Amino acid sequence: MYSEERIKEKAINESGIDTDWFLMDSNGKIAVVASAGGLLPDSVSSDMERLKRMIEYFRSLPILSDDIIIDERVLKLIDSYNGKQKDAYLKDLYFMASRGLYYFDKMILNDYSDFRYYLKAKPIKPLVIGKNINSKDVLPLTTIDRDMENINQFMVNEIL
C-alpha cells in the first residue's frame, strides 16, 4: 500500500499521463493496463526504459485470435455510441486482447486518487509466459497473486 505522502509525490510526476503498463499473474498470463492518468506501480515507474521495450514488444506481437470477450459494462457504455465512436473506443482494446493480453482500464479517467482498474476485455487465447513468450527482458516485473481469468477489477496500490 502507498502512503498518502508517496501518492502525492508520485502524482506530481504521473498525474494526467496515459500510458500502458503490464501486469503478470501467478500463472504467467499477462494484462495490459491503460493508466488513464492514474497511479503507476513503483515497479513500472522505476524503469521507464524497460516499459518502453515492453510496449514495443507486446504491440509487435501477431494476433493469436480474432475473437475476444468484451465485458458487459463496456458493451453497455458504448451502446449509444455511433459507429466511429465505437470503433475508436474499441480499437486498442481489440488490438491488445487479440494478441492474448487481458485489458484493464479505469472507469474514471485522470482521477489520480482512484486506484481501481476494471477488466474491459479478455482474450480467447491468452498469452502465457513460457508457452508464447520467453524473453526475460520483456516480462512484467509487476505481478498479482491471482489468476487473471478470475479478476474483474483490482486496486493498483494492492499489487506487487
Side-chain angles (χ1 to χ4, degrees):
M1 299 280 267
Y2 292 98
S3 69
E4 192 71 30
E5 184 176 305
R6 181 71 176 124
I7 291 168
K8 287 178 185 175
E9 176 187 317
K10 289 175 75 62
I12 293 167
N13 298 318
E14 298 169 8
S15 184
I17 298 171
D18 186 18
T19 189
D20 290 342
W21 55 276
F22 300 90
L23 175 66
M24 185 169 60
D25 76 1
S26 54
N27 298 313
K29 295 176 194 155
I30 300 175
V32 59
V33 183
S35 75
L39 177 72
L40 297 177
D42 285 340
S43 56
V44 173
S45 61
S46 65
D47 192 348
M48 296 307 281
E49 287 304 314
R50 180 185 183 88
L51 179 61
K52 287 177 188 175
R53 287 191 305 272
M54 290 171 54
I55 290 170
E56 285 179 23
Y57 178 82
F58 289 117
R59 289 198 169 274
S60 71
L61 291 174
I63 292 172
L64 291 179
S65 174
D66 285 323
D67 296 322
I68 68 169
I69 299 168
I70 300 173
D71 187 87
E72 289 180 27
R73 290 174 295 216
V74 172
L75 295 174
K76 287 179 185 174
L77 176 69
I78 65 171
D79 191 42
S80 63
Y81 291 7
N82 68 36
K84 287 183 182 182
Q85 289 172 316
K86 279 184 186 177
D87 291 345
Y89 187 88
L90 296 173
K91 184 179 178 181
D92 202 47
L93 186 145
Y94 270 112
F95 184 89
M96 298 306 275
S98 69
R99 283 148 177 83
L101 291 109
Y102 293 77
Y103 192 96
F104 289 87
D105 198 355
K106 293 178 69 139
M107 291 292 189
I108 304 170
L109 305 180
N110 293 316
D111 182 353
Y112 199 77
S113 62
D114 178 17
F115 297 157
R116 293 171 296 177
Y117 284 89
Y118 298 90
L119 178 71
K120 294 219 173 162
K122 62 183 177 179
I124 295 291
K125 292 175 116 180
L127 184 69
V128 181
I129 303 301
K131 181 178 177 185
N132 309 97
I133 178 175
N134 291 308
S135 176
K136 291 182 180 180
D137 195 42
V138 294
L139 293 182
L141 298 176
T142 309
T143 59
I144 192 163
D145 194 26
R146 296 175 15 208
D147 185 342
M148 202 69 71
E149 190 62 31
N150 300 319
I151 302 172
N152 289 318
Q153 73 174 23
F154 69 90
M155 300 284 282
V156 72
N157 61 333
E158 296 175 310
I159 61 173
L160 309 171

